Structures are given as C-alpha cells and as structure tokens.
Amino acid sequence: MKKKLGLFLPEVSDDYNKVSASIWIRALQMVTHYKNLGFDVSINKPLRFYDIAIVYRLATKKNLLLCKALRKTAKKVYFDSVVNYFVEHSGCNAEQVYYQKKIAEVCDGIICSTENIASYAKRFNSNIHIMDDPIDTEYFHLQKSNINYQNPIFGWSGVSSKAHFLNNFSSIIDNKIILICDEKIHNQKIDFNFKYMPWRYETFPNHLMDCDIALLPRTYIDDPYNLGHSSFKALVFAITGIPIIANKLPSYEKLASLYESIVFLEENADNIDSCINKLIAKPAPDTTKIRSFYSCENQALRLRDFFFNENTI
C-alpha cells in the first residue's frame, strides 16, 4: 500500500508564476518525484489521514494550529523552514520567532533549506533534515558554452527588491547586465542601466543563456537572515554552466565544493576584474556533480531516507 504524504502550502495554485519561489521549488515541483518513489501525494487536504504531513514556510499562528490539528490525522508532522525564524533579525520579528519555536515543539521534525538554519532549529527540535533547494535537471537542460570573458554580459535573477545589492558595482555593469525578475524592478533605486527580462517559469532557462557571468552580491552577510540564504539563486546559473561571482554565503560555499566555476568577492577585494581572471584560470564549467546532488530526484530520495531512518513510516 502506498504511503500517504500530505503537503500543506500557504498558497493555492499550480501555476509556478503565481506562487512564491520557495513553494514551487520545495513543494510543487517535487510532487512528481515523490509519486515516483511510491507516495500518494495530496496538497492542502487536512481532513485525510497521512503517514507524513509537511507544513511549509510561514511561522504563524495559523500554521501552529494546523500542525496541532495534523497531529491527530497524520502519523508524523514536519515543518519545512526556508527562513531562519528561530531568532530575530532583519527578516524576522518577535511574533514569528514565538510561533516558529512553538511549531518546532509540536512537530516531529524540521526540514531546513540550509545548514545555517538547521544549526538554530536544533536548539528547539532534535530531529532535523537538511533538504537543499532541489533543481529540475530536465527543466534546466540547457548548457552554456562559449562564455565571453573579455566583454561579458552579467546576469542576476531574483526578487527585484534585492537588486540594490548590485549598486556597488554600477560603473562596471552599466549597460552590461541582464536582470531577470518581477516588473517591480522599475520602481527600485537602481544606479545603472540594465536589460530587463520578466521572470516567467516558461522562459527562465532561455533567459539565463543570454548571460556570461552571474553577479550575485549580497551585503550584510553576517545577519542570520542572509546567512541562512539558500543556494538556489546561484544554483540556477551553475546548473546551466555559467560562471559565478558572489559573496561568500555558507550555501554558496557548499555549492562551490561541487561546482568549481565560482569565485568569491571577499577573496578578491571586491574586484570584478580579479574575479574574472580567476574564473578564466579555472577549467571549463562542469555541472556533473551539482546536477547529481541538487537534482529533485536526489533530494526526494534523501528526504524519503530521512523518514525511513527515523522510523516515521
């Protein structure tokens, strides 16, 4: 008999363009892979009985009550945490911390997107699994070749409100960068000229191919919010075989252990030319290891093994 897996999402849509990135990355795109492993998967159906229930993302009173209710209808209940809500910081207030800690007490375990978040989660629940943001290797099947290091077109993708991190390099990237994001980018304070490409799930991989080097700066990286940042922003470029210049976030360091074509600004005095020269000296980008480790298939297997090893089924 198939094991029943319930996914509980804060947004109800199967259109990847209408939900937050973490929901389609960590839940919606994984459904097929969970089914391939033999799970009977349901989404937002709390009145069913489950072997495993996973509640996603938000540290709220509503999710605390949901987790408590699911304890009566599911053998095991887990919370998927993509933001460090275990401590107050620039992206988290006291109310969120309160409910995250309460959720951790109620749930059988916490699934974290990074080791950094996991290090905080362990203080409130001993049963922790790190599920790196998974990537669909069929969706990201295109591979970049013939990178122009001499006159590169830089690339950046993400939520437009975070594009201001690029302003520190405005003189270098002026008229030489593609921003793939939501249309609100036009309301942001940007100090350089750029080419705007609207983020759409259907066109995203093709837009990445127009970039030569990803530029992914992120200041205030000593803040718990930024330290818990997942690898996905860099991973989408890496999986396409595009070299990366970035700040040294923990998740990017992990990515660098499997993808050699990444250099860190901190190790090059924030000098873009120095970073490019370092990239040129490296072997051609090789996506073999990251496609294996970060694939949806592998991350689904690892999560299933976590459930079995913890005797949750």
Side-chain angles (χ1 to χ4, degrees):
M1 181 180 293
K2 290 184 176 181
K3 303 301 180 182
K4 293 180 173 59
L5 173 63
L7 310 181
F8 294 89
L9 318 180
E11 303 161 66
V12 183
S13 176
D14 58 2
D15 185 345
Y16 291 7
N17 299 301
K18 295 181 180 179
V19 298
S20 60
S22 64
I23 296 305
W24 71 259
I25 293 167
R26 299 183 64 78
L28 294 181
Q29 72 168 353
M30 295 298 293
V31 171
T32 296
H33 302 282
Y34 293 146
K35 288 181 177 179
N36 289 342
L37 292 177
F39 286 104
D40 178 3
V41 183
S42 299
I43 296 178
N44 287 354
K45 295 182 179 179
L47 300 182
R48 293 185 176 181
F49 288 93
Y50 295 103
D51 295 287
I52 298 292
I54 306 175
V55 178
Y56 287 84
R57 199 180 196 290
L58 301 178
T60 60
K61 181 179 181 179
K62 179 180 178 180
N63 270 351
L64 173 60
L65 295 175
L66 175 59
C67 290
K68 288 183 175 180
L70 287 170
R71 292 307 303 263
K72 301 176 181 179
T73 58
K75 293 179 181 178
K76 295 291 180 178
V77 179
Y78 294 87
F79 184 83
D80 185 270
S81 182
V82 298
V83 175
N84 185 356
Y85 289 130
F86 294 96
V87 61
E88 287 187 59
H89 50 71
S90 61
C92 176
N93 58 41
E95 181 179 6
Q96 291 169 310
V97 172
Y98 173 81
Y99 284 115
Q100 179 66 94
K101 291 179 180 179
K102 290 296 183 182
I103 288 170
E105 293 174 2
V106 169
C107 288
D108 294 283
I110 307 294
I111 303 167
C112 301
S113 59
T114 68
E115 281 86 348
N116 180 267
I117 296 175
S119 68
Y120 285 85
K122 288 176 182 176
R123 303 172 189 177
F124 308 99
N125 190 305
S126 62
N127 195 22
I128 305 297
H129 174 70
I130 298 167
M131 177 182 171
D132 298 87
D133 278 351
I135 199 146
D136 186 337
T137 54
E138 291 186 10
Y139 170 62
F140 288 103
H141 68 279
L142 299 175
Q143 295 287 284
K144 179 75 174 183
S145 60
N146 300 321
I147 297 163
N148 185 349
Y149 287 108
Q150 282 64 48
N151 189 28
I153 297 298
F154 296 97
W156 182 92
S157 71
V159 179
S160 61
S161 60
K162 298 177 182 178
H164 64 89
F165 291 129
L166 291 161
N167 283 337
N168 289 338
F169 305 97
S170 58
S171 62
I172 298 170
I173 62 177
D174 189 47
N175 283 316
K176 292 183 178 181
I177 190 166
I178 296 171
L179 304 186
I180 310 169
C181 54
D182 56 273
E183 63 183 8
K184 293 180 181 178
I185 189 67
H186 301 297
N187 300 325
Q188 307 302 317
K189 188 179 185 306
I190 304 297
D191 298 337
F192 51 88
N193 295 299
F194 58 89
K195 181 179 181 180
Y196 164 67
M197 303 299 291
W199 191 95
R200 297 284 298 175
Y201 183 78
E202 297 79 7
T203 58
F204 186 39
N206 287 311
H207 289 334
L208 291 173
M209 295 295 289
D210 294 330
C211 309
D212 292 302
I213 299 174
L215 180 58
L216 310 175
R218 196 176 184 97
T219 53
Y220 313 118
I221 61 171
D222 57 343
D223 178 278
Y225 174 71
N226 288 296
L227 287 173
H229 181 60
S230 76
S231 61
F232 199 77
K233 182 186 288 288
L235 184 57
V236 297
F237 288 98
I239 204 76
T240 312
I242 295 172
I244 298 167
I245 298 173
N247 277 113
K248 205 171 188 177
L249 298 172
S251 63
Y252 290 1
E253 289 187 272
K254 182 175 182 177
L255 174 62
S257 70
L258 299 170
Y259 182 67
E260 191 172 353
S261 296
I262 180 170
V263 296
F264 295 113
L265 289 159
E266 291 89 338
E267 296 176 354
N268 294 276
D270 286 351
N271 186 291
I272 298 297
D273 287 336
S274 175
C275 288
I276 292 175
N277 288 333
K278 291 279 184 66
L279 289 172
I280 292 173
K282 291 177 177 288
D286 184 350
T287 65
T288 305
K289 292 180 180 179
I290 55 170
R291 295 181 76 83
S292 175
F293 179 77
Y294 289 97
S295 70
C296 291
E297 293 89 343
N298 185 50
Q299 293 300 322
L301 278 169
R302 286 164 52 84
L303 188 60
R304 186 191 66 174
D305 289 347
F306 170 67
F307 293 151
F308 282 130
N309 290 340
E310 294 298 332
N311 298 315
T312 58
I313 296 181

